[in-house]
Amino acid sequence: MPEDLPEDSPMDVAACLAAIDRSDAEIKAWAVLDRKAASNSSGALAGMAVGVKDIIDVAGMACCYGSPIFAGRIAEADAELVTALRMAGAAILGKTVTTEFAFMQKSITRNPHNLGHSPGGSSSGSAAAVAAGQVELAIGTQTGGSVIRPASYCGVHALKPTRGAISRAGVLQTSQTLDQVGIFARNLNYLARLGSVVTNQPDLEDGLNHLPAAPPRLLYLDGLYGTRVQGYVHEGLQKIATALPSHIDILPAPAAEIARYLETHKTIYDFEICQNIGPLMSSHESQMSAEILAAIKRGQKVAISDYEKALIERDEAALYFGGLLAGYDGLLTASATGEAPIFEEGTGDSICNCLWSLTGYPCISLPISGRFQISGPKGLGVGVQLTATTGRDSALLGLARWLETRLG
């Protein structure tokens, strides 16, 4: 476990490398490590090291997409977000482990809190590296639940901003509709600082430091996702909601609409991953996992008319949830269905996150401690997720600070 550090006392590159040397033989969070990485002396991230998921290009570094098909591939140029990191003074410490093509097959990375458990996927290494205290900032991506779910399993802060807020130029595309970039950090301060650098929303830090003008109002949907969410998670969320009755309204979850739009997400994902990764099957099928092959084969069966209908339904979903959240500052849900699964059982269920990947809404995962902590039978925590409507990223950070303070 990482040492407790003051809130605003960032680790330098040397300290990060020392932490990696102490723990990464077991955790395996890094695919590539640059021991000569250096930061600039000025900029918002001066002196800080960042881990970058291995589907994002960093010039001169291997970028293999978690697949043996691309073993030895060296990126020729920086992704746009990496350029932004460098301009802000950050040191690119290396590439963090991803699952194959950022999909469902488990990676080699272990959960720092219990090595017998998964760190989640697909941003496995990014979440684990921050959780282990190896680095304080990391970049991931999400198409289903690949930022928020690993953050929950590993007990770190994460933000998936509004779709398009972070450039995807230089990032592997698996779904042109659903792929989004997200960030991990040791605390909310660093999360906002990193977000201000890599998004087109430089006011994120301001949002974090300004509490809502009016008393916040949150919505909690009782029974959301039904039995796919563990009972202790439902109970933990109910405890939070009932503890703040003047701030949190409780309504029954709209089961029919939820099911419909989850299916919309699945249709789009299957069709587009087939478009983007499917062409590799003709010459590399033996090097592809059963999970990715199954997704491609599902996508082959999706009719173009069904795909086009799903794209229309995606827009309908954004309008529907926008109406549901009208008058609220955000939606309170769980970041994951339960604690991190056993490593051999895979990377977990992304149902708690797919709707916000579909709508492109911003969402944050908060690791809650103390009397409101939600923990599973193995003692591993479950994060609390806050979601807001499109473009309300800055306000969402302020809401996260408010809730974290209330529940801390």
Side-chain angles (χ1 to χ4, degrees):
M1 293 296 296
E3 299 177 3
D4 290 332
L5 296 172
E7 182 83 355
D8 291 309
S9 176
M11 300 164 63
D12 59 20
V13 171
C16 290
L17 289 171
I20 290 169
D21 288 341
R22 287 194 297 270
S23 63
D24 206 55
E26 292 183 318
I27 296 170
K28 299 179 175 63
W30 296 86
V32 177
L33 193 61
D34 181 5
R35 292 190 171 275
K36 297 181 180 179
S39 63
N40 294 332
S41 59
S42 62
L45 301 179
M48 300 188 77
V50 182
V52 177
K53 185 176 180 178
D54 195 31
I55 67 166
I56 301 170
D57 282 349
V58 175
M61 284 191 189
C63 186
C64 305
Y65 309 143
S67 169
I69 297 170
F70 290 93
R73 176 185 178 271
I74 304 298
E76 296 181 357
D78 284 339
E80 284 189 6
L81 71 91
V82 173
T83 298
L85 290 170
R86 293 193 195 277
M87 290 180 64
I92 309 302
L93 196 60
K95 309 297 291 297
T96 52
V97 171
T98 177
T99 62
E100 176 201 33
F101 299 119
F103 197 61
M104 297 297 293
Q105 187 197 35
K106 65 180 181 290
S107 71
I108 61 172
T109 307
R110 300 280 179 155
N111 192 308
H113 300 290
N114 186 322
L115 297 175
H117 288 252
S118 170
S122 61
S123 304
S124 311
S126 293
V130 174
Q134 297 175 348
V135 69
E136 294 178 308
L137 307 172
I139 309 294
T141 63
Q142 176 165 308
T143 309
S146 295
V147 169
I148 299 299
R149 186 172 86 262
S152 178
Y153 291 165
C154 291
V156 298
H157 292 79
L159 168 68
K160 184 203 75 64
T162 293
R163 178 173 46 225
I166 304 177
S167 169
R168 291 192 292 114
V171 181
L172 172 70
Q173 178 172 284
T174 64
S175 169
Q176 55 269 34
T177 301
L178 303 173
D179 288 349
Q180 289 149 79
V181 180
I183 58 177
F184 301 87
R186 173 161 65 93
N187 55 48
L188 277 176
N189 285 346
Y190 289 164
L191 194 71
R193 189 183 304 179
L194 177 59
S196 293
V197 167
V198 296
T199 70
N200 55 14
Q201 300 170 322
D203 63 340
L204 288 184
E205 281 193 279
D206 292 337
L208 180 63
N209 296 318
H210 290 86
L211 297 180
R217 290 190 66 217
L218 288 166
L219 176 62
Y220 168 65
L221 299 175
D222 189 32
L224 184 61
Y225 310 123
T227 57
R228 283 178 68 173
V229 173
Q230 296 294 315
Y232 62 84
V233 177
H234 285 304
E235 292 169 5
L237 289 171
Q238 186 78 23
K239 180 179 178 181
I240 292 172
T242 55
L244 299 170
S246 61
H247 296 283
I248 301 178
D249 290 344
I250 303 174
L251 296 176
E257 289 82 2
I258 297 294
R260 177 188 177 195
Y261 293 129
L262 286 171
E263 188 62 28
T264 298
H265 176 275
K266 182 177 183 298
T267 297
I268 294 172
Y269 199 177
D270 285 348
F271 186 89
E272 292 185 347
I273 205 168
C274 180
Q275 283 186 319
N276 291 294
I277 307 300
L280 293 170
M281 279 183 61
S282 61
S283 54
H284 297 285
E285 184 171 355
S286 64
Q287 294 175 284
M288 302 171 78
S289 70
E291 289 85 354
I292 196 72
L293 290 173
I296 291 168
K297 291 172 183 176
R298 288 195 304 270
Q300 291 172 338
K301 297 177 181 178
V302 176
I304 293 178
S305 59
D306 290 336
Y307 168 65
E308 292 174 343
K309 179 184 176 184
L311 292 178
I312 294 171
E313 289 177 343
R314 175 202 58 172
D315 295 335
E316 292 174 357
L319 291 173
Y320 174 79
F321 289 109
L324 191 66
L325 289 174
Y328 292 101
D329 295 287
L331 176 70
L332 172 70
T333 63
S335 299
T337 60
E339 67 181 355
I342 299 296
F343 180 80
E344 288 75 16
E345 296 175 357
T347 62
D349 188 343
S350 62
I351 192 173
C352 294
N353 322 114
C354 289
L355 292 175
W356 321 129
S357 295
L358 178 69
T359 60
Y361 284 179
C363 44
I364 286 179
S365 184
L366 302 175
I368 301 299
S369 59
R371 66 189 182 99
F372 290 105
Q373 182 175 359
I374 303 173
S375 298
K378 299 291 186 179
L380 298 173
V382 179
V384 168
Q385 181 175 210
L386 291 175
T387 303
T389 50
T390 297
R392 291 184 53 80
D393 305 55
S394 180
L396 185 63
L397 277 159
L399 184 65
R401 169 60 58 81
W402 174 86
L403 184 65
E404 196 168 69
T405 301
R406 285 299 183 104
L407 300 182

